[in-house]
Amino acid sequence: MVQTTPFLLVLSLALVAPSFSAKKCVLTGRWINDLGSNMTIGAVNGRGDFAGSYHTAVTATTNKIRVSPLQGSQHNTNQNSQPTFGFTVNWSFSDAVTVFTGQCFVDETGKEVLKTMWLLRSRVDNIKDDWKATMVGINVFTRLHSQKE
Ligand code: BTN
């Protein structure tokens, strides 16, 4: 009888522990990247689709930066995995579009990290300028936690 208490403790921990990590790498929430850009991602539906908004810290233009819509898709909504995803930002203040693709990782400290690559396509007036219309880069995002968490 005395041994049942530790057994039950271990059993309950084993049952509860996965739920601690279950929330990891669901993209919903607020994120900041290495440039200081912020994005907010809404609910991810059963098919992995999501929408949100992006506030870039930088621009390739001289235009005033405005918050822009994003639409994306997360692969494999099995919450225990480290899923791949992609999203598109249709810039409200320029004629450009950026596509991001990446993967969510849980690092050794338990922190979620989005490792992404992006292509930024800017509009050019002439086909002869097509060669200089696309930029490529990487961004690393971490989650912005609310005060309550
Ligand atoms: C534009 O300049 O035409 C639109 C804004 C582009 C911002 C880029 S997208 C890739 C990189 N990551 C960011 O967070 N911002 C820049």
Side-chain angles (χ1 to χ4, degrees), residues 33 35 37 54 56 58-61 91 93-94 96 98 118 120 139:
N33 73 16
L35 292 170
S37 300
Y54 200 104
T56 181
V58 296
T59 174
T61 71
W91 300 106
F93 59 92
S94 78
T98 302
W118 51 262
L120 165 59
N139 278 140

Side-chain angles (χ1 to χ4, degrees), residues 2 11 19 30 42 45 49 53 55-56 60 69 80 85-86 88-89 94 96 99 101 107-109 136 141 149:
V2 181
L11 183 66
S19 67
R30 296 178 62 219
N45 73 17
D49 301 331
S53 58
H55 191 178
T56 181
N80 289 322
F85 61 85
T88 300
V89 185
S94 78
V99 289
T101 188
D107 75 10
E108 61 281 352
T109 66
V136 61
F141 293 82
E149 288 173 79

Side-chain angles (χ1 to χ4, degrees), residues 54-83:
Y54 200 104
H55 191 178
T56 181
V58 296
T59 174
T61 71
T62 54
N63 302 343
K64 183 175 158 41
I65 290 172
R66 287 198 280 133
V67 176
S68 303
L70 72 79
Q71 284 199 308
S73 186
Q74 177 171 0
H75 202 276
N76 189 359
T77 47
N78 168 4
Q79 296 181 347
N80 289 322
S81 67
Q82 299 187 102

